[in-house]
Amino acid sequence: MGIRIGPSRGRRSGMPTSIPGKIFASLFFLIFFAAGTGFLLMMISELTGQLAQYSWTETPAVIEVSELEEDREKENPYLFTVRYRYEVEGESYVSDRYQRNDSRTREHGEVASLVDRYPPGEAVTCYVNPSDPAEAVLEQPAVGDWGPLAAFLLLPLVFVGIGLGGVYFTWRAGPTKGTAENDAAVSIGTANNARNGKRALAGFFLIFTLFGGIFPVMFFIIPAINVWQAQNWQAIDCTILSSSVGVHRGSDSTTYSIDIEYEYEVDGRTYRSTQYDFMGNVTSSGQSGKQAVVDDHPVGSTAQAYCDPDDPGNAVLNRDFTTGIWLGALTLVFPIVGIGGLIGMFVSQRRQAAAGGLGSVAGGGVSSSFAGASSSYASGGAATTTGPVTLKATEPRWVTFIFLLLFAVAWNGFVHGLMVPDMGYGFFSGIFILIGAAVALGTIYQAMRLFNPTVVMQVSSANPRLGDPLEIQWQLKGNTQRVKHLTVTLEGQEHAEYRRGTNTHTDTHTFIEQVLADRTDPISILRDSAIGEVPAGAMHSFEADHNKVVWVLRVHGVIPFWPDLNQSFAITVLPRELTHA
């Protein structure tokens, strides 16, 4: 038995301590780092190119050619073909770019409106790159072109931070030996790291809530609103011009889409549309269902479409809720997980505070060799429990597993159910696939922890006084033979909350770390007891508005090639009993 002033790094953080465990954890976090970095660089490059156009020079131009180009061999058959002439410093230039990115689309109406807007001979304004006058565009990017990209910029930063932070905390060295003052200083630094880690996790959940909410807006809420609004649209007759099942072959899979084009007339003007429903003709697996739709709309047949009375170019064949919209509802899991994570952290903090003040006790337990150690304490108002008692673990392992499982199902369901079928396998979707793989690995890791042995911890009293002996007895249940090294540690921590400017901070200092048991013998690991003493000169359990002192028993078991066993049990330490002359 020994006492240390200062923290034990790694074990309390939940990080693996064995070399195989650290390698597994490092690979997990490196996937996050690599995916986040690649995604971040790609987003920065695209965003920089979009925003740079706002500094381009406005220059008069004249439209020479403006027409709709149609290519049935392409997935997006319509292209706005434009050519305009402009002058820079007396030199004439010609450009054929409407926007920086390709303006090819599936919607006939979009291109037709541009042809009407930019007729040949029209005097217009173009935007010229001052560093390369030969580069010009007719339209600068709208906020909708780069706004979502800027909003998502924080998302890869979170993954980069998780990757780097995870590798660092997995491999960082244990505390150095030194004076109590130095060890206490190390403790404060470690506590600050833990506090920063909680803030980073809270920030991750907040970002997940805010930016994860974009997915259900795009793939469920907006289509659902469109369906609701379309119930009042005008029913019109249309003629099917083309009807087929689009086949989109990727490197590893083939997806399908409903490729229908129809023509209709409103107020004497002819319009075309390729919009079948409000999911934007996304591609997905399942050819038979799409073939059935195509069979119901043969070329040359007449069908009923629904036209927006405020925008005749906007029409749809199917204004009902489709399977794609209901699949989009799965993305609601993203903000739900984010909000749930924030609520979970809040509830966990409240429970830890309650556990620090009163302890967590349940009656019953294993047979005791110290049944005669029962006593009754008067604690000046604090709740007391006579021993022996069995403690409850303060950190249920299934909570983390359920969170990761929900996240993994939501993320991978979105990626493989919506993103990959629509975009195919490429660099962009590959980043999301890597993130999904990393989360799946984390879920598997937490699932492995569920098969770890559980600890039944019994103490002579859940409310020992300072200076009193504390006898513990434990029993492992489950796959106990895999645990090769077990330690039980009594820790006292001080939590101090203070304000710095307008922000509230909490410092945590581990002032006592007393090893009660250190076992390598298989029989002693399975079931044994130990006796320690609550240090007489330490601070008892205490809780006020801004300060509290908590005591816990921590059990750490080393399991080779498997996640380590980590369980914590809260106790309440009472002040020394007053003696009267």
Side-chain angles (χ1 to χ4, degrees):
M1 182 180 71
I3 300 177
R4 184 205 303 273
I5 303 294
S8 175
R9 296 192 178 191
R11 194 165 60 237
R12 288 197 306 275
S13 66
M15 289 295 182
T17 56
S18 62
I19 295 299
K22 288 185 176 182
I23 293 175
F24 182 89
S26 297
L27 292 175
F28 172 78
F29 288 118
L30 285 175
I31 291 176
F32 268 81
F33 172 74
T37 301
F39 196 15
L40 180 64
L41 293 177
M42 181 191 65
M43 292 175 67
I44 290 176
S45 175
E46 177 61 24
L47 184 62
T48 301
Q50 292 278 9
L51 296 179
Q53 296 177 68
Y54 289 106
S55 64
W56 289 11
T57 306
E58 291 189 20
T59 305
V62 177
I63 302 296
E64 295 183 343
V65 176
S66 176
E67 57 188 19
L68 184 151
E69 179 183 315
E70 182 177 347
D71 187 351
R72 290 291 178 179
E73 298 299 321
K74 295 186 179 296
E75 182 175 351
N76 296 317
Y78 301 111
L79 175 67
F80 176 45
T81 301
V82 66
R83 186 173 72 244
Y84 51 95
R85 186 175 299 274
Y86 60 96
E87 289 187 1
V88 177
E89 297 181 351
E91 186 174 352
S92 180
Y93 295 90
V94 175
S95 176
D96 60 358
R97 298 178 67 181
Y98 165 62
Q99 288 182 321
R100 179 171 177 264
N101 296 327
D102 188 8
S103 57
R104 188 175 292 278
T105 178
R106 293 176 59 89
E107 292 300 321
H108 179 277
E110 291 182 12
V111 179
S113 64
L114 290 175
V115 172
D116 292 341
R117 182 178 176 185
Y118 296 102
E122 184 79 4
V124 297
T125 297
C126 68
Y127 301 89
V128 179
N129 185 351
S131 60
D132 183 8
E135 184 178 12
V137 294
L138 277 180
E139 291 284 347
Q140 291 178 317
V143 175
D145 296 328
W146 57 264
L149 190 64
F152 273 104
L153 202 59
L154 288 177
L155 186 60
L157 285 175
V158 172
F159 287 105
V160 170
I162 291 175
L164 290 178
V167 173
Y168 169 73
F169 285 109
T170 297
W171 290 96
R172 67 175 181 173
T176 56
K177 295 182 179 180
T179 64
E181 291 79 4
N182 290 338
D183 286 339
V186 172
S187 173
I188 290 293
T190 304
N192 289 335
N193 289 335
R195 184 181 69 248
N196 292 334
K198 291 181 180 179
R199 289 177 180 171
L201 183 60
F204 171 78
F205 284 132
L206 181 60
I207 293 173
F208 206 77
T209 301
L210 296 177
F211 299 103
I214 295 177
F215 292 115
V217 169
M218 294 171 55
F219 295 101
F220 177 66
I221 295 177
I222 291 180
I225 291 175
N226 289 334
V227 168
W228 174 70
Q229 291 178 337
Q231 303 309 306
N232 298 320
W233 285 8
Q234 177 185 358
I236 56 174
D237 291 332
C238 66
T239 301
I240 305 299
L241 300 179
S242 64
S243 179
S244 63
V245 175
V247 180
H248 311 274
R249 291 183 173 85
S251 57
D252 298 318
S253 65
T254 300
T255 58
Y256 307 92
S257 63
I258 300 173
D259 293 350
I260 290 180
E261 184 177 18
Y262 50 97
E263 186 177 76
Y264 59 98
E265 187 175 299
V266 177
D267 296 332
R269 182 172 179 179
T270 301
Y271 296 89
R272 288 185 184 182
S273 177
T274 58
Q275 184 173 219
Y276 171 71
D277 58 27
F278 288 111
M279 285 304 293
N281 301 84
V282 297
T283 66
S284 62
S285 59
Q287 182 181 12
S288 59
K290 298 175 180 62
Q291 186 64 54
V293 172
V294 170
D295 293 341
D296 289 339
H297 297 81
V299 175
S301 65
T302 301
Q304 187 176 67
Y306 302 91
C307 174
D308 183 354
D310 298 325
D311 181 10
N314 185 19
V316 67
L317 282 176
N318 185 354
R319 62 178 178 179
D320 299 327
F321 279 94
T322 61
T323 302
I325 296 178
W326 291 121
L327 285 175
L330 293 175
T331 59
L332 288 169
V333 176
F334 287 101
I336 290 174
V337 169
I339 294 172
L342 291 172
I343 294 175
M345 292 186 66
F346 175 77
V347 172
S348 176
Q349 186 173 2
R350 299 280 298 191
R351 286 180 177 177
Q352 288 178 3
L358 298 176
S360 179
V361 182
V366 296
S367 60
S368 174
S369 61
F370 42 85
S374 301
S375 58
S376 178
Y377 300 119
S379 58
T384 61
T385 304
T386 57
V389 293
T390 301
L391 304 178
K392 288 182 179 178
T394 59
E395 302 170 358
R397 292 175 293 190
W398 55 266
V399 174
T400 304
F401 168 72
I402 290 178
F403 165 74
L404 283 175
L405 179 62
L406 290 175
F407 179 62
V409 170
W411 184 276
N412 288 290
F414 166 73
V415 171
H416 296 283
L418 292 175
M419 176 176 287
V420 171
D422 186 39
M423 301 178 56
Y425 290 93
F427 176 76
F428 184 82
S429 59
I431 292 173
F432 283 83
I433 293 172
L434 283 175
I435 293 174
V439 176
L441 287 175
T443 306
I444 294 173
Y445 183 85
Q446 287 299 131
M448 293 167 65
R449 290 190 63 200
L450 296 178
F451 294 94
N452 279 350
T454 58
V455 181
V456 179
M457 176 64 67
Q458 196 174 56
V459 294
S460 54
S461 173
N463 311 111
R465 292 188 180 275
L466 294 173
D468 281 357
L470 178 66
E471 187 170 357
I472 62 172
Q473 180 173 301
W474 68 88
Q475 177 180 344
L476 268 59
K477 293 185 176 181
N479 298 320
T480 59
Q481 70 278 2
R482 297 184 302 152
V483 181
K484 303 304 180 183
H485 185 192
L486 186 79
T487 56
V488 183
T489 307
L490 174 65
E491 295 182 10
Q493 295 181 343
E494 179 184 7
H495 302 262
E497 182 180 289
Y498 61 94
R499 295 185 65 83
R500 180 182 296 161
T502 59
N503 297 324
T504 301
H505 302 267
T506 302
D507 276 339
T508 302
H509 170 50
T510 301
F511 56 87
I512 290 294
E513 184 177 38
Q514 178 179 350
V515 179
L516 301 180
D518 190 333
R519 303 288 190 267
T520 56
D521 177 66
I523 297 179
S524 299
I525 290 175
L526 173 62
R527 183 201 300 262
D528 204 351
S529 61
I531 300 177
E533 180 180 289
V534 182
M539 180 63 184
H540 57 79
S541 297
F542 170 80
E543 184 170 2
D545 292 339
H546 303 289
N547 301 81
K548 65 179 178 179
V549 173
V550 298
W551 290 80
V552 293
L553 287 167
R554 300 194 186 275
V555 180
H556 175 245
V558 177
I559 304 177
F561 308 104
W562 196 264
D564 288 344
L565 167 65
N566 287 286
Q567 283 189 259
S568 300
F569 305 87
I571 63 173
T572 299
V573 175
L574 304 179
R576 293 176 63 88
E577 191 169 16
L578 297 177
T579 58
H580 301 280

